[in-house]
């Protein structure tokens, strides 16, 4: 099942993708695609539903973030062995976690704003986990049962803010529009193995990232279990699980985003994103 949200920013409606790739309107069935849906009885109703019984959405509406009202946006850094190698850093002994502000979340094809004064904005295609039920001190054996679905996240990052402005990585990760998610939430039954998905990110048609989740070091179940030791994960929370090699900071010479650049990224079975970078303005 592929769930999505469509319409103007701030007024999105819930939808479902049918087998032919058409958007079907779910607004007469559920209020939104969010934690309240994932943790309630309506998910079973949706699983049993024939998408063709729902109203067809005509045209090509804007696709919004695939999850609404996200409580927490947690990211895991340096989690791909080949990405750690390109940065020249050793693999951490435990998952390296940081927060990304939920105000950074935008739709998968919305513009990305290069922040005022930024010279080192960068891209990161990532597999994101969406939590489906409350999780505290869960074991790795229980962890996969806590997943509502998977989606693509672009963990856009300003490297100078991240490393040069004393503090945690959150400064470089949380600028407005730095968290495109979607286009849709794919339920676990459609993802045979989250650790065997091809993924890529191209800038202006040049593919810089061309990797796979099979080089992920801390696996999905371990990440959920580990993070749940330090905070209760709530329905609707997002965990972005790390990026493969090929980020701009890893190039020689380094390459960073500028207004007018176009990012195109995708993960096998989870769809694609396309963002145009624009200059900051009041």
């Amino acid at each position: 099942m592929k769930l999505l949200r469509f319409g103007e920013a701030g007024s999105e409606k819930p939808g479902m993708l049918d087998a032919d790739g058409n958007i079907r309107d779910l607004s007469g069935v559920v209020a939104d695609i969010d934690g309240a849906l994932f943790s309630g009885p309506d998910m079973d109703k949706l699983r049993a539903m024939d998408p063709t019984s729902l109203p067809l959405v005509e045209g090509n509406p804007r696709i919004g973030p695939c999850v609404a009202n996200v409580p927490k946006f947690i990211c895991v850094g340096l989690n791909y062995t080949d990405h750690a190698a390109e940065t020249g850093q050793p693999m951490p002994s435990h998952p390296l976690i940081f927060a990304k502000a939920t105000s950074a979340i935008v739709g998968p094809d919305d513009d990305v704003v290069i922040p005022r004064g930024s010279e080192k904005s960068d891209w990161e295609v990532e597999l994101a986990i969406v939590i489906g039920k409350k999780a505290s001190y869960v074991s790795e054996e229980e962890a996969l049962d806590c997943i509502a679905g998977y989606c693509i996240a672009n963990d856009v990052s300003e490297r100078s803010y991240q490393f040069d402005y004393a503090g945690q990585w959150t400064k470089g990760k949380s600028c407005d529009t730095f968290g495109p998610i979607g286009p849709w939430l794919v339920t676990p039954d459609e993802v045979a193995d989250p650790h065997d998905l091809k993924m890529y990110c191209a800038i202006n048609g040049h593919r810089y990232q061309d990797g796979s989740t099979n080089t992920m070091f801390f696996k999905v179940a371990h990440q959920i279990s580990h993070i749940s030791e330090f905070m209760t994960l709530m329905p609707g929370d997002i965990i972005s699980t790390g990026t493969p090699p090929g980020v701009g900071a890893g190039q020689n010479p380094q390459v960073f985003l500028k207004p007018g650049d176009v990012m195109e990224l995708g993960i096998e079975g989870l769809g694609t994103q396309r963002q145009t970078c624009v200059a900051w303005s009041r």
Side-chain angles (χ1 to χ4, degrees):
M1 185 167 57
K2 294 180 175 69
L3 302 175
L4 68 148
R5 302 172 67 248
F6 64 95
E8 295 301 314
S11 301
E12 293 94 345
K13 293 181 178 181
M16 179 186 290
L17 209 67
D18 69 21
D20 295 319
N22 301 309
I23 299 173
R24 299 287 178 161
D25 190 345
L26 271 175
S27 58
V29 182
V30 298
D32 213 337
I33 309 300
D34 59 9
L37 170 65
F38 305 145
S39 59
D42 284 340
M43 281 296 284
D44 289 334
K45 184 194 302 184
L46 295 186
R47 290 186 185 96
M49 185 170 288
D50 178 3
T52 61
S53 67
L54 297 166
L56 179 67
V57 177
E58 302 287 353
N60 295 292
R62 168 187 173 269
I63 304 300
C66 59
V67 182
N69 308 313
V70 175
K72 294 190 290 296
F73 198 162
I74 304 299
C75 301
V76 179
L78 289 178
N79 191 38
Y80 281 62
T81 54
D82 38 8
H83 173 54
E86 79 170 341
T87 68
Q89 300 180 70
M91 291 302 303
S93 55
H94 301 281
L96 192 164
I97 64 173
F98 58 91
K100 193 176 186 84
T102 57
S103 56
I105 293 173
V106 290
D109 301 325
D110 289 345
D111 290 343
V112 166
V113 177
I114 304 300
R116 183 176 63 181
S118 167
E119 296 182 353
K120 295 183 178 181
S121 289
D122 204 346
W123 57 86
E124 292 189 13
V125 59
E126 303 203 2
L127 172 69
I129 306 162
V130 181
I131 298 298
K133 66 180 182 181
K134 188 175 179 179
S136 178
Y137 294 103
V138 295
S139 67
E140 290 191 36
E141 291 72 25
E142 301 169 310
L144 297 183
D145 293 333
C146 299
I147 299 174
Y150 300 93
C151 67
I152 302 170
N154 187 356
D155 179 21
V156 186
S157 310
E158 214 297 342
R159 302 303 186 189
S160 182
Y161 300 174
Q162 180 181 358
F163 295 116
D164 301 335
Y165 286 59
Q168 302 299 315
W169 287 9
T170 300
K171 291 179 181 179
K173 301 285 189 170
S174 295
C175 301
D176 292 348
T177 74
F178 270 26
I181 59 170
W184 42 72
L185 172 77
V186 181
T187 50
D189 57 292
E190 294 196 16
V191 181
D193 183 357
H195 306 110
D196 189 25
L197 303 175
K198 294 178 182 177
M199 57 203 308
Y200 71 89
C201 181
I203 310 301
N204 301 326
H206 178 79
R207 188 171 288 203
Y208 283 94
Q209 291 188 280
D210 195 357
S212 170
T213 56
N214 64 20
T215 63
M216 191 184 292
F217 187 70
F218 297 111
K219 306 302 185 185
V220 165
H222 182 82
Q223 291 184 50
I224 294 171
S225 176
H226 180 79
I227 295 170
S228 77
E229 294 182 21
F230 305 100
M231 63 191 79
T232 297
L233 293 170
M234 301 299 293
D237 281 350
I238 294 174
I239 300 172
S240 201
T241 61
T243 198
V247 299
Q251 305 304 307
N252 185 17
Q254 293 181 327
V255 178
F256 295 113
L257 297 167
K258 60 186 184 302
D261 285 347
V262 175
M263 293 182 279
E264 296 174 284
L265 51 151
I267 298 179
E268 184 179 3
L270 303 186
T272 61
Q273 298 185 355
R274 186 181 191 275
Q275 300 108 25
T276 299
C277 297
V278 299
W280 178 89
S281 64
R282 289 190 181 277

